[in-house]
């Protein structure tokens, strides 16, 4: 009797495994055919199968649908935003109104490198370093204690295959897990022992830091990672900060050769003029100096009358302190003047100041203001959470990432990953439905699940390296948003790759965000969204 029952269970498990294998092959062929139709490949597969082995019905082919195309010129929505309620539009300057060429990152790297040698007496061989623009991305975290550069997700979990010491990935990932007692970084450790590189200026900084760590390791030089980070950060302050109303040496370099570093933007002028014709107030609020802004805006707009595009301009604002330190008064910036500023006059440019006086002198406050910037913490966070401004993030690398996501091979590889994960869930459910008995049928199912998990790991790596070999996408750590992307979602109502993406949007437009599904809502909500047609695509 027992032998009869055992034989039935073994047969049932064996037939389930065979059924799963058939479904895998069937779905794989469907995805390959869909990719071929788009003249694409699935990145995790070395070759496509030949036509004799890939024949399947036209009806089956039609069951595969591509993931949608996204325009890099779109405006993306985190929170509902009714532009009819916006009376005032504010703008940062660097990487918001001003788009810099790749030459700026090269100059920053070379300048930081030279400061490290000339000022901090680092080995003179460091001056031979060459900037690699393809190594680092924005949003990485540097671990002061271990010298690791890494990407973490929205829950502060480490993406293990992004952890680098110098220019080399950490091969023994168990060391990372041992130090942090898992993949999660505690809030205390994150706050006190890590530093996030949040803006585009920080990419050459992160690259140089990694290059110096690599040099010290290769030459067996003793060092503390925090000392290296502190020195690179101090070099960055020297580079960006100066005296006499000019700015640091970087500003001087840019001002000497505007066409080398800045991209002209006639669309920007059209957009700002359109806002003012519609009765909207506009202002420029930047940490950069007047001399730098005046020359830059004159070049960008091709007119010395750029000042007329704004109701008022504030330079040297010292954000984010501008938002929460109320002791620094506004001061006229055009010429030496010691009078207290008790009102804003048309045509004047001001420096310094604070949010409390800004609201008092302008009457602009709260949700009537929409402010755009590129730096989550300096520009957006305090303005949003403390003062109620609506905010928009300008993220230039967004356009490049969207172009990659729109590539047919990427889309079909992602589609195959999602299918593979559904098959894995089905296989694990099949396993759970059986008694756990050590026999060939059970081992066969375990082997199949292990093979699919390994394939899933391979596919995820291919999707990661499509963006960047070392760190992947700026916005995603596999299934979760990156730490950087999560801050954008938290502190920006809308985000886009360029401020001029708004030039086709009417001033009474209402941005409606997509509904965010919780895992327990997804099936029912998706059925509603698709009018019940989703059944066609379910396993």
């Amino acid at each position: 009797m027992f032998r009869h029952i055992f034989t039935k269970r073994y047969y049932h498990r064996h037939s389930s495994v065979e059924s799963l294998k058939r479904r895998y092959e069937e779905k794989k062929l469907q995805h390959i055919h869909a990719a071929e139709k788009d003249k694409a490949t699935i990145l995790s597969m070395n070759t496509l199968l030949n036509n004799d082995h890939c024949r399947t019905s036209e009806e089956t082919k039609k069951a595969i649908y591509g993931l949608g195309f996204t325009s890099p010129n779109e405006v993306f929505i985190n929170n509902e935003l009714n532009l009819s309620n916006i009376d005032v539009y504010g703008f940062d300057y660097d990487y918001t109104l001003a788009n810099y060429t790749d030459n700026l990152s090269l100059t920053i790297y070379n300048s930081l490198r030279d400061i490290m040698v000339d000022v901090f007496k680092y080995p003179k061989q460091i001056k031979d370093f060459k900037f690699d623009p393809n190594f680092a991305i924005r949003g990485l975290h540097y671990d002061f204690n271990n010298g690791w550069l890494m990407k973490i997700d929205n829950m502060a979990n480490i993406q293990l295959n992004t952890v680098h010491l110098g220019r080399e990935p950490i091969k023994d990932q168990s060391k990372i897990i041992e130090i942090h007692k898992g993949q999660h970084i505690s809030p205390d450790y994150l706050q006190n022992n890590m530093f996030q590189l949040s803006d585009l200026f920080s990419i050459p900084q992160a690259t140089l830091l990694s290059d110096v760590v690599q040099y010290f390791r290769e030459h067996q030089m003793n060092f503390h990672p925090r000392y290296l980070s502190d020195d690179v950060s101090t070099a960055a302050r020297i580079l960006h900060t100066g005296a006499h109303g000019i700015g640091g040496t970087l500003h001087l370099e840019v001002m000497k050769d505007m066409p080398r570093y800045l991209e002209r933007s006639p669309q920007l002028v059209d957009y700002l003029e359109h806002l003012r014709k519609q009765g909207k107030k506009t202002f420029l609020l930047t940490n950069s100096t007047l001399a730098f802004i005046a020359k830059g805006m004159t070049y960008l707009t091709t007119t010395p009358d750029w000042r007329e595009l704004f109701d008022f301009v504030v330079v040297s604002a010292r954000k984010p302190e501008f938002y929460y330190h109320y002791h620094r008064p506004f001061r006229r910036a055009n010429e030496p003047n010691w009078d207290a500023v008790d009102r804003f006059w048309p045509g004047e440019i001001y420096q310094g100041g604070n949010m409390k006086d800004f609201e008092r002198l302008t009457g602009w406050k709260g949700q009537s203001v929409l402010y755009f910037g590129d730096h989550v913490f300096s520009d957006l966070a305090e303005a949003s959470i403390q003062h109620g401004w609506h905010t928009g993030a300008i993220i230039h690398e967004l356009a490049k990432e969207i172009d990659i996501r729109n590539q047919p091979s990427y889309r079909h590889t992602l589609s195959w990953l999602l299918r593979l994960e559904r098959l894995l869930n089905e296989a694990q459910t099949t396993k759970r439905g059986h008694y756990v008995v050590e026999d060939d049928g059970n081992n066969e199912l375990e082997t199949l699940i292990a093979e699919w998990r390994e394939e899933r790991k391979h596919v995820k790596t291919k999707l990661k390296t499509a963006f960047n070999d070392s760190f992947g996408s700026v916005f995603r750590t596999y299934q979760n948003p990156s730490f950087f992307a999560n801050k954008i979602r938290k502190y920006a109502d809308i985000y886009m790759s360029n401020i001029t993406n708004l030039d086709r949007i009417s001033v009474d437009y209402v941005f409606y965000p997509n509904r965010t599904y919780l895992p327990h809502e997804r099936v029912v909500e998706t059925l509603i969204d698709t009018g019940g047609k989703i059944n066609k695509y379910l396993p």
Side-chain angles (χ1 to χ4, degrees):
M1 180 69 177
F2 177 78
R3 181 181 177 85
H4 176 67
I5 294 173
F6 181 85
T7 302
K8 283 184 65 177
R9 288 175 182 167
Y10 172 80
Y11 175 77
H12 185 50
R13 279 194 296 276
H14 181 74
S15 62
S16 296
V17 172
E18 291 303 312
S19 174
L20 286 167
K21 287 181 177 179
R22 285 195 301 272
R23 285 182 55 73
Y24 171 87
E25 292 298 332
E26 174 189 334
K27 298 303 180 184
K28 183 176 181 179
L29 291 177
Q30 289 178 355
H31 282 267
I32 288 173
H33 276 299
E36 285 180 330
K37 189 175 180 181
D38 284 343
K39 298 181 180 180
T41 63
I42 295 175
L43 297 175
S44 59
M45 299 179 187
N46 293 329
T47 59
L48 296 181
L49 301 180
N50 63 55
N51 289 333
D52 290 338
H53 291 89
C54 287
R55 286 179 184 156
T56 189
S57 68
E58 287 301 314
E59 186 62 29
T60 302
K61 290 180 184 179
K62 290 177 183 177
I64 295 293
Y65 54 96
L67 304 176
F69 176 86
T70 303
S71 169
N73 298 322
E74 284 188 32
V75 176
F76 301 96
I77 311 159
N78 289 323
N79 297 307
E80 183 172 326
L81 175 60
N82 186 345
L83 295 184
S84 296
N85 297 328
I86 303 299
D87 300 319
V88 185
Y89 287 73
F91 306 90
D92 181 38
Y93 176 73
D94 292 305
Y95 285 113
T96 301
L97 298 182
N99 295 328
Y100 291 102
T101 68
D102 293 339
N103 291 320
L104 184 65
S105 291
L106 175 62
T107 297
I108 291 173
Y109 180 91
N110 291 342
S111 300
L112 291 174
R113 177 200 64 195
D114 293 348
I115 291 171
M116 295 289 282
V117 176
D118 297 338
V119 177
F120 298 112
K121 308 306 178 185
Y122 275 63
K124 62 182 180 181
Q125 290 82 359
I126 286 176
K127 279 202 173 185
D128 296 328
F129 288 0
K130 304 297 182 185
F131 177 53
D132 178 2
N134 299 314
F135 174 66
I137 60 173
R138 190 192 337 199
L140 300 176
H141 279 78
Y142 180 75
D143 186 328
F144 293 130
N145 292 330
N146 300 292
W148 293 341
L149 191 65
M150 67 180 76
K151 186 171 70 175
I152 63 178
D153 72 8
N154 59 325
M155 299 180 183
N157 296 313
I158 303 167
Q159 186 174 345
L160 292 174
N161 66 356
T162 68
V163 183
H164 283 65
L165 180 58
R167 295 296 294 268
E168 298 176 0
I170 301 293
K171 294 189 171 89
D172 185 1
Q173 297 177 353
S174 64
K175 292 181 180 178
I176 307 167
I177 293 172
E178 180 181 355
I179 287 176
H180 289 286
K181 301 176 183 178
Q183 291 182 235
H184 180 71
I185 300 174
S186 70
D188 180 70
Y189 192 93
L190 189 64
Q191 180 177 352
N192 297 308
N193 299 287
M194 302 190 79
F195 170 71
Q196 186 180 19
L197 299 144
S198 298
D199 59 22
L200 287 172
F201 289 125
S202 66
I203 291 178
Q205 183 176 341
T207 304
L208 178 63
L209 185 56
S210 295
D211 288 343
V212 173
V213 170
Q214 185 69 26
Y215 178 88
F216 276 40
R217 293 183 68 236
E218 289 177 352
H219 290 79
Q220 299 180 346
M221 299 172 63
N222 294 327
F223 67 96
H224 194 294
R226 186 181 287 267
Y227 295 161
L228 301 190
S229 174
D230 288 347
D231 289 345
V232 172
S233 296
T234 302
R237 286 194 292 273
I238 293 172
L239 183 62
H240 289 283
T241 307
H244 310 300
I246 300 296
T249 55
L250 179 64
H251 283 187
L252 294 172
E253 187 67 28
V254 172
M255 291 168 68
K256 284 192 289 187
D257 194 353
M258 286 290 180
R260 174 176 167 79
Y261 295 106
L262 275 179
E263 299 173 357
R264 279 204 162 104
S265 182
Q267 280 183 286
L268 174 63
V269 176
D270 294 340
Y271 174 62
L272 293 173
E273 287 180 341
H274 170 71
L275 289 176
R276 292 174 68 76
K277 287 176 182 176
Q278 296 297 316
K280 304 299 181 181
K281 301 294 184 181
T282 59
F283 68 92
L284 175 60
L285 177 67
T286 174
N287 289 348
S288 293
T289 61
L290 173 57
F292 185 66
I293 294 299
K295 190 156 189 176
M297 286 299 298
T298 299
Y299 178 80
L300 289 176
T301 62
T302 65
T303 173
D305 298 327
W306 62 270
R307 175 67 187 76
E308 297 177 4
L309 297 170
F310 304 98
D311 287 278
F312 78 91
V313 175
V314 177
V315 299
S316 303
R318 297 186 189 176
K319 295 173 294 179
E321 288 86 354
F322 177 90
Y323 297 120
Y324 53 77
H325 285 169
Y326 300 142
H327 59 272
R328 187 171 181 236
F330 284 103
R331 185 174 184 175
R332 291 178 179 83
N334 280 323
E335 58 187 30
N337 193 297
W338 295 269
D339 292 340
V341 174
D342 53 10
R343 62 171 294 183
F344 286 147
W345 293 91
E348 286 282 1
I349 298 177
Y350 299 90
Q351 63 183 14
N354 62 80
M355 179 64 97
K356 185 176 181 180
D357 286 343
F358 173 93
E359 293 179 344
R360 177 176 60 84
L361 294 171
T362 64
W364 304 339
K365 62 179 65 177
Q367 298 196 354
S368 66
V369 180
L370 174 57
Y371 184 72
F372 295 93
D374 72 294
H375 196 293
V376 176
F377 299 106
S378 292
D379 295 327
L380 308 179
E382 294 294 328
S384 173
I385 62 178
Q386 297 295 339
H387 300 286
W389 284 7
H390 286 294
T391 52
I394 308 301
I395 312 170
H396 289 284
E397 53 266 64
L398 183 63
K400 179 181 177 182
E401 292 222 356
I402 289 173
D403 285 340
I404 292 170
R405 288 180 56 84
N406 284 336
Q407 294 298 316
S409 292
Y410 180 90
R411 292 187 290 118
H412 285 286
T413 304
L414 177 57
S415 180
W416 172 242
L417 173 66
L418 299 177
R419 173 62 68 182
L420 188 59
E421 289 175 340
R422 287 198 291 272
L423 288 167
L424 267 168
N425 286 333
E426 185 179 346
Q428 293 175 118
T429 302
T430 300
K431 174 185 171 184
R432 187 176 59 191
H434 298 307
Y435 295 107
V436 179
V437 180
E438 291 297 330
D439 57 47
D440 291 342
N442 193 62
N443 288 339
E444 192 176 8
L445 183 57
E446 292 280 8
T447 300
L448 183 65
I449 291 173
E451 289 175 355
W452 288 358
R453 284 174 176 167
E454 189 62 29
E455 181 177 357
R456 174 178 178 265
K457 181 179 177 181
H458 181 56
V459 177
K460 287 167 64 179
T461 299
K462 289 293 184 181
L463 290 172
K464 169 205 162 197
T465 56
F467 297 99
N468 176 278
D469 286 340
S470 300
F471 301 101
S473 167
V474 173
F475 302 95
R476 180 163 292 279
T477 55
Y478 295 142
Q479 65 271 22
N480 289 335
S482 65
F483 191 92
F484 172 78
N486 189 56
K487 296 305 178 186
I488 294 294
R489 185 163 60 180
K490 184 176 181 179
Y491 297 124
D493 295 295
I494 55 177
Y495 66 98
M496 65 214 76
S497 61
N498 195 301
I499 191 68
T500 57
N501 291 11
L502 286 163
D503 64 1
R504 298 175 300 278
I505 304 295
S506 65
V507 294
D508 60 354
Y509 190 88
V510 181
F511 291 103
Y512 296 110
N514 291 329
R515 184 178 179 86
T516 301
Y517 298 140
L518 298 172
H520 71 276
E521 300 173 324
R522 190 171 302 278
V523 173
V524 173
E525 301 282 3
T526 304
L527 283 168
I528 294 171
D529 278 355
T530 59
K533 296 178 182 179
I534 195 67
N535 286 330
K536 180 178 178 181
Y537 305 112
L538 292 175

